[in-house]
Amino acid sequence: MSAIRFEPTKQYYATTGLVVGYALCSSLLAVINKFAITKFNYPGLLTALQYVTSALGVWVLGKFGFLHHDPFKLDIANKFLPAAVVFYLAIFTNTNLLRHANVDTFIVFRSLTPLLVALADTIFRRQPCPSKLTFMSLLIILGGAVGYVATDSAFTLTAYSWAFAYLVTITTEMVYIKHMVMNLGLNTWGLVLYNNLFSLMMAPIFWVLTGEYNEVFAALVANGGNWFEPVAFPAVSLSCLFGFLISFFGFAARKAVSATAFTVTGVVNKFLTVMINVLIWDKHATPFGLVCLLFTLSGGVLYQQSVTGPPPHDSTASKQTSDSSDNDDHEDNQDKRMPGKHAST
């Protein structure tokens, strides 16, 4: 009898640990990335270090049997390349947005993605128009975002140019690229490996295009070959570590709990991020801007309720829900693990 009770208890604590791990990584990552880019002001090099950490971490853990990833194949790689380019652009624009704006601005623009995705689905993919409740939630999101932008004392053309560029790339990834990639049959760790390997290959191109390599070499000369301030090394290390951990906890938590529970956790994470950002430093919005931000997040909660269907009751429906959840892993991973998504609003 004790053995029968032991397994559910063990499963309960394992699931709780995964959800708590995901919540901590998700809520802290944006703040850690902002701190890292403040102390190590080379976004291209920072993301390259994250790509190395994640790709190497997947390969090493795969070698020791802690996870399974698909092998790297040229025919799959050729099909995956367009997705990898969009993924890299989303990470690149996201990092530069955090470089020029505060965390609150990033969250507001990230919360706008359901509105753009709904419009793109309706216009380009001929999907049905949103329901009244969904449309109302999107208007709430838009109203909160407009109020935030109108009162943003830290408004700069550079920051908001990066914000709009990020919106375009992340919306493209969500609407089109995700569906194309999922047809390749890669598992979740395979997606992480392919994404990061391709992104690492593309990083030098953007170093040259943006001129960041000049800044890096100038810093090396000025500092006698030393890139880092004393506090920068732990900041960058934490950013790389949390970037990899969110891949594990994001995928594992999504498989361990229902889609609704995962979505609710994602929304709560954003509130935690705002709270942490307000408490630890002064790089945040005005009081009215924070109210608009919370208004936008509330619209996100309403949006998730409007698009979440009733839970399945039979085993076939459960399997379909599980498959659908797996297909969303790529989106969630991209938003959360880098200073840049994937994931739920």
Side-chain angles (χ1 to χ4, degrees):
M1 182 66 69
S2 59
I4 296 176
R5 291 178 179 175
F6 175 76
E7 290 303 325
T9 302
K10 184 178 179 181
Q11 179 64 33
Y12 169 79
Y13 284 116
T15 302
T16 302
L18 291 174
V19 172
V20 171
Y22 168 70
L24 288 175
C25 291
S26 178
S27 57
L28 289 172
L29 187 56
V31 177
I32 290 173
N33 282 329
K34 175 62 179 178
F35 181 63
I37 202 65
T38 300
K39 299 301 180 181
F40 187 72
N41 198 20
Y42 311 108
L45 184 57
L46 176 61
T47 53
L49 292 172
Q50 291 179 328
Y51 300 143
V52 170
T53 302
S54 295
L56 188 61
V58 170
W59 183 79
V60 171
L61 291 178
K63 284 294 184 182
F64 283 95
F66 290 104
L67 56 85
H68 171 72
H69 63 81
D70 297 295
F72 190 87
K73 297 180 179 179
L74 286 179
D75 57 333
I76 298 295
N78 290 333
K79 297 176 182 177
F80 192 86
L81 181 58
V85 172
V86 176
F87 173 83
Y88 183 90
L89 289 175
I91 300 301
F92 179 76
T93 54
N94 198 342
T95 311
N96 280 279
L97 171 57
L98 284 174
R99 185 186 190 185
H100 296 286
N102 56 36
V103 175
D104 302 324
T105 303
F106 161 70
I107 294 176
V108 165
F109 275 87
R110 180 62 185 82
S111 298
L112 277 173
T113 52
L115 176 61
L116 296 183
V117 170
L119 288 175
D121 276 340
T122 302
I123 296 173
F124 298 109
R125 299 184 62 213
R126 308 299 181 188
Q127 297 293 317
C129 292
S131 66
K132 291 182 180 180
L133 182 59
T134 300
F135 186 74
M136 183 175 68
S137 68
L138 294 175
L139 287 181
I140 292 174
I141 292 173
L142 180 61
V146 170
Y148 179 90
V149 172
T151 60
D152 186 5
S153 59
F155 178 93
T156 64
L157 183 60
T158 300
Y160 277 78
S161 296
W162 283 115
F164 282 110
Y166 171 69
L167 273 179
V168 171
T169 54
I170 194 64
T171 302
T172 302
E173 198 277 338
M174 286 184 176
V175 175
Y176 292 108
I177 301 302
K178 183 188 72 170
H179 300 285
M180 181 191 75
V181 168
M182 293 312 162
N183 291 329
L184 298 178
L186 294 171
N187 65 12
T188 51
W189 288 114
L191 291 173
V192 174
L193 183 63
Y194 274 75
N195 261 337
N196 287 281
L197 281 177
F198 270 118
S199 296
L200 186 60
M201 295 174 190
M202 287 184 280
I205 299 174
F206 285 84
W207 292 346
V208 174
L209 291 178
T210 61
E212 184 177 315
Y213 73 98
N214 287 324
E215 299 177 27
V216 173
F217 288 137
L220 282 172
V221 173
N223 299 329
N226 185 15
W227 279 341
F228 292 100
E229 300 175 20
V231 72
F233 183 80
V236 172
S237 299
L238 273 177
S239 178
C240 293
L241 175 62
F242 271 72
F244 177 70
L245 288 178
I246 196 63
S247 296
F248 170 76
F249 282 111
F251 292 141
R254 178 173 276 276
K255 292 177 182 297
V257 299
S258 68
T260 302
F262 187 84
T263 296
V264 171
T265 304
V267 172
V268 172
N269 291 343
K270 290 188 177 180
F271 285 99
L272 289 175
T273 301
V274 173
M275 185 182 303
I276 294 169
N277 188 51
V278 170
L279 290 176
I280 66 171
W281 58 8
D282 59 357
K283 293 179 172 58
H284 52 77
T286 62
F288 183 78
L290 289 175
V291 171
C292 292
L293 172 56
L294 296 177
F295 195 69
T296 300
L297 292 179
S298 299
V301 175
L302 185 62
Y303 171 81
Q304 291 296 344
Q305 292 177 339
S306 70
V307 298
T308 302
H313 298 287
D314 57 69
S315 59
T316 302
S318 298
K319 184 180 186 303
Q320 291 172 345
T321 301
S322 176
D323 293 341
S324 176
S325 178
D326 291 344
N327 285 349
D328 285 338
D329 283 343
H330 174 60
E331 173 186 323
D332 295 320
N333 171 61
Q334 189 277 334
D335 182 66
K336 297 290 188 185
R337 59 161 292 281
M338 294 294 185
K341 135 279 6 121
H342 195 163
S344 308
T345 298

